[in-house]
Amino acid sequence: GLLGRLNINVDKFISGMATIESGYRADLPYHNSIHAADVLHCMNYLVNKPAMRCLFSDLEIFAIYVAAMIHDFEHPGVNNNFLIASSDRKALLYNDKSVLENHHCAAAFEVLSRPQCAFLSTLDRADYKSVREAIVEMVLATDLSQHFSVLSMFKKKTLSADTFDPLGAREDRLLLMQMLMKCADVANPTKEWPLYKEWTDRIIEEWYCQGDREKALGLPISPFMNRDGPNAANPASSQTGFINFIVAPLYDAFGAWTDLSEIRSTLEQNKARWAATSGGPASSASSASTSASSGSDSDSPKNRPRRKSGANTGTSTG
């Protein structure tokens, strides 16, 4: 298998991943270990598309899987804006820049440096540097405040200049990894309706919990996070905006480079269902876009199965 080909110590890998899993909070509706597993599943699906698998080495596939597993490690259930507005120590530590994403990476690599979890220690210096770079780039790309810059770069390379060469250029391969992570992280609206709706309910509850905390602290309540607001019972507006401004452009750009027709078809069906629910096209899409881009760490729904006893259930917006 993959671990054997890379000479990864299986016991240390299991110990490391078990410790990472325990760092996802079971009390969170959305950003929990189920979400991490869901993103890992999505990454595996995407990376095994026929046009994709031949581009990556075993080492890069391994980095992709690890990045998915750690990408929301120790998520607190609030977004970057909340941490910054409340002067949280993490915001002070990371100077208000990709606060959660930096923490996910730093905290996870601290775990993976512990002797019983150090499965990366068997890699030589060059391979370790390569894996670490790829993981950090992918996790930082999940900050939605960086969404448009990453998407614009990908579109420029693949659609305009036709200079995209992921097989021959590591820079382009890293950009492709970032796109894979972004697509997996915001994949909820591409899932069949029952699963998508479950994730939507979960992220909305997590948003409302953040709104409750903002209210208690006397902070402005973030868009879509007021459980007492006029549209609290109807998520169609926020979800349509999220699809129109974040998910659809991302999958359109990626789908122009490799076939994602089945996924994009389901996305359009879900978009139409929200429109029917609201009686027409959502009117506050721009607000949803603003909320998503300012609420980094993917503040939009993700695919999630039902909560099981003892399972971590954290939520992210994407």
Side-chain angles (χ1 to χ4, degrees):
L2 183 62
L3 297 184
R5 293 197 299 271
L6 295 174
N7 194 31
I8 298 295
N9 184 291
V10 175
D11 291 337
K12 290 184 177 182
F13 179 79
I14 292 173
S15 176
M17 288 300 100
T19 305
I20 292 295
E21 182 178 13
S22 70
Y24 283 89
R25 287 174 48 181
D27 62 312
L28 294 178
Y30 187 91
H31 288 100
N32 50 51
S33 64
I34 303 176
H35 166 67
D38 179 65
V39 172
L40 174 62
H41 179 273
C42 293
M43 288 283 269
N44 183 63
Y45 171 81
L46 291 170
V47 83
N48 280 290
K49 300 288 285 182
M52 206 74 58
R53 185 60 181 88
C54 62
L55 299 175
F56 299 111
S57 67
D58 281 347
L59 191 67
E60 289 165 335
I61 293 293
F62 182 65
I64 287 169
Y65 292 158
V66 173
M69 288 185 275
I70 73 163
H71 85 280
D72 273 332
F73 179 62
E74 292 187 348
H75 198 292
V78 294
N79 63 19
N80 283 338
N81 274 1
F82 179 90
L83 297 178
I84 294 167
S86 61
S87 298
D88 185 90
R89 66 175 186 83
K90 294 184 183 68
L92 300 178
L93 177 63
Y94 296 113
N95 299 311
D96 299 346
K97 305 294 185 184
S98 299
V99 178
L100 286 170
E101 296 74 23
N102 275 301
H103 176 74
H104 301 323
C105 280
F109 271 98
E110 188 281 322
V111 167
L112 301 186
S113 70
R114 300 173 191 174
Q116 70 274 23
C117 302
F119 58 82
L120 297 176
S121 63
T122 55
L123 301 177
D124 64 32
R125 186 181 299 273
D127 284 347
Y128 175 82
K129 180 180 178 181
S130 175
V131 166
R132 176 171 162 78
E133 178 188 28
I135 291 172
V136 170
E137 290 295 328
M138 282 184 276
V139 175
L140 292 183
T142 64
D143 181 352
L144 283 182
S145 70
Q146 308 300 317
H147 173 78
F148 294 104
S149 61
V150 174
L151 179 59
S152 295
M153 176 63 72
F154 184 80
K155 290 172 67 175
K156 180 180 179 181
K157 280 183 168 286
T158 59
L159 305 179
S160 303
D162 194 27
T163 58
F164 192 56
D165 180 22
L167 187 60
R170 176 165 171 79
E171 177 185 357
D172 289 348
R173 213 154 51 250
L174 284 173
L175 178 58
L176 184 59
M177 291 180 195
Q178 290 178 311
M179 288 291 291
L180 285 166
M181 175 62 86
K182 290 176 66 60
C183 284
D185 197 35
V186 300
N188 284 338
T190 71
K191 304 300 177 68
E192 295 297 329
W193 179 260
L195 186 55
Y196 171 33
K197 184 60 167 57
E198 170 75 11
W199 283 117
T200 300
D201 292 343
R202 287 173 177 267
I203 190 59
I204 288 174
E205 179 55 33
E206 197 165 292
W207 283 349
Y208 287 163
C209 290
Q210 174 174 323
D212 294 343
R213 294 176 65 179
E214 290 170 334
K215 187 183 300 184
L217 291 171
L219 298 172
I221 300 178
S222 300
F224 307 112
M225 299 189 185
N226 186 356
R227 69 172 71 247
D228 301 316
N231 296 317
N234 183 10
S237 176
S238 65
Q239 287 305 297
T240 303
F242 182 63
I243 290 172
N244 285 342
F245 282 84
I246 302 295
V247 184
L250 183 66
Y251 274 87
D252 286 347
F254 203 59
W257 186 73
T258 189
D259 179 39
L260 297 177
S261 54
E262 182 178 359
I263 297 175
R264 294 165 73 187
S265 174
T266 306
L267 177 63
E268 288 301 314
Q269 292 171 22
N270 288 334
K271 177 181 172 182
R273 187 156 184 167
W274 284 123
T277 300
S278 63
S283 60
S284 57
S286 60
S287 179
S289 174
T290 300
S291 174
S293 62
S294 64
S296 50
D297 196 54
S298 335
D299 286 314
S300 301
K302 299 203 177 184
N303 322 292
R304 207 165 289 249
R306 301 180 191 277
R307 180 195 295 255
K308 296 182 180 179
S309 174
N312 290 335
T313 36
T315 308
S316 192
T317 54

